[in-house]
């Protein structure tokens, strides 16, 4: 009876999983080879659903332009919305414009502002996330959804646990982020003591592109530019 409860294809699936290791390794090798050559860059995250006429699309484009003027490249998830705005700002400013694309059933497609030799496609979210974390000198987090929050909290966790080097995490848009950050402080920190006060030191809440660049420049007066692990 025990055998009848489980699909007979279980062992076949385990075999397929073993072969998937080689595909995963291939994505890591390709990503490392391409990303290691781009130089110091800053990642911009945000919603794929943000339209070009939205204030945060325009702000993300301006942020990317200022980041390029400050000497950094720009990395995004390569899709539409805020990602497109980030690549567009970098491209029009004459800077490095990188897109780390992921194959999804909806929303995600390449935007036209990625450098042709820096458009990298992934099947696996976790491989793609490694590329963001390893090669970014900072995270600029625009308003977004679950994917944006996932990237934000993973970066905070890795820094908190000393698994990666510190880098600035900049939340752009007070009207969007202040409720979440208020909850983090009053509930996680003050009420339950589930985090330490120092965990919030590298998280900045701003509203302008100038503030973003000021924070990056100030941070890297004290820290060297290098991959994060």
């Amino acid at each position: 009876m025990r055998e009848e409860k489980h699909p007979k294809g279980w062992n076949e699936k385990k075999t397929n999983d073993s072969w998937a290791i080689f595909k995963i390794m291939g994505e890591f090798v390709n990503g490392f080879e391409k990303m290691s050559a781009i130089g110091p860059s800053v990642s911009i995250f945000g919603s794929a659903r943000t339209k070009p006429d939205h204030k945060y699309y325009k702000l993300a484009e301006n942020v990317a332009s200022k980041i390029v003027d400050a000497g950094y490249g720009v990395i995004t998830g390569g899709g539409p919305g805020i990602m497109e705005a980030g690549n567009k700002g970098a491209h029009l400013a004459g800077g490095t414009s990188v897109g780390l694309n992921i194959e999804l059933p909806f929303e995600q497609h390449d935007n036209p502002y990625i450098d042709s030799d820096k458009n990298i496609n992934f099947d696996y979210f976790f491989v793609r996330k490694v590329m963001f974390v390893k090669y970014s000198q900072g995270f600029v987090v625009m308003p977004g959804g679950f994917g944006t929050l996932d990237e934000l909290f993973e970066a905070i966790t890795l820094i908190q646990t000393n698994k990666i080097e510190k880098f600035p995490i900049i939340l752009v848009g007070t009207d969007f982020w202040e409720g979440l950050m208020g909850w983090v402080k009053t509930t996680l920190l003050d009420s339950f003591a589930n985090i330490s006060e120092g965990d919030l030191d590298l998280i900045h809440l701003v509203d302008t592109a100038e503030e973003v660049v000021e924070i990056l420049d100030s941070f890297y007066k004290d820290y060297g530019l290098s991959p994060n692990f």
Side-chain angles (χ1 to χ4, degrees):
M1 288 184 64
R2 183 177 299 169
E3 292 181 358
E4 292 176 359
K5 291 181 180 180
H6 301 290
K8 292 183 179 180
W10 179 259
N11 288 330
E12 181 181 351
K13 290 178 181 178
K14 288 197 296 182
T15 302
N16 291 339
D17 287 347
S18 298
W19 282 106
I21 292 172
F22 293 100
K23 186 174 181 181
I24 293 167
M25 289 174 60
E27 288 201 355
F28 273 120
V29 171
N30 183 52
F32 287 155
E33 286 183 346
K34 291 185 176 181
M35 294 297 291
S36 63
I38 67 171
S41 298
V42 174
S43 289
I44 297 178
F45 300 97
S47 176
R49 305 183 186 192
T50 305
K51 302 302 181 185
D53 60 349
H54 195 282
K55 68 173 184 177
Y56 280 123
Y57 183 104
K58 297 174 182 177
L59 180 55
E61 186 179 340
N62 189 29
V63 166
S65 178
K66 297 290 186 185
I67 287 173
V68 165
D69 290 343
Y72 302 93
V74 168
I75 304 170
T76 81
I82 294 295
M83 294 175 282
E84 179 182 285
N87 288 126
K88 182 179 180 181
H91 175 75
L92 294 180
T96 298
S97 181
V98 182
L100 305 183
N101 258 286
I102 186 77
E103 293 189 14
L104 297 176
F106 57 90
E107 288 180 352
Q108 186 78 6
H109 58 78
D110 295 5
N111 71 66
Y113 302 103
I114 304 167
D115 294 346
S116 60
D117 61 336
K118 298 179 182 67
N119 189 1
I120 310 173
N121 292 294
F122 297 90
D123 284 327
Y124 298 96
F125 264 115
F126 66 91
V127 180
R128 179 179 182 242
K129 288 162 74 175
V130 167
M131 302 305 153
F132 276 123
V133 171
K134 182 173 178 63
Y135 294 106
S136 293
Q137 303 301 298
F139 275 17
V140 174
V141 192
M142 304 293 297
F146 288 134
T148 302
L149 294 173
D150 178 45
E151 297 286 357
L152 167 63
F153 283 110
E154 175 157 3
I156 295 171
T157 300
L158 291 170
I159 293 173
Q160 177 200 48
T161 55
N162 295 318
K163 292 298 183 181
I164 62 172
E165 299 295 327
K166 294 179 179 180
F167 59 77
I169 299 172
I170 307 167
L171 309 183
V172 181
T174 301
D175 58 347
F176 183 87
W177 292 110
E178 63 182 349
L180 174 64
M181 294 311 297
W183 176 82
V184 167
K185 185 178 187 306
T186 58
T187 303
L188 292 187
L189 179 61
D190 297 339
S191 298
F192 287 85
N194 286 337
I195 60 173
S196 301
E197 190 167 358
D199 294 337
L200 302 180
D201 288 347
L202 289 181
I203 304 174
H204 308 270
L205 183 56
V206 305
D207 285 301
T208 68
E210 290 75 16
E211 289 174 296
V212 170
V213 172
E214 182 180 344
I215 290 166
L216 290 169
D217 284 346
S218 177
F219 183 87
Y220 286 109
K221 286 179 182 177
D222 299 321
Y223 292 89
L225 293 164
S226 66
N228 295 316
F229 60 87

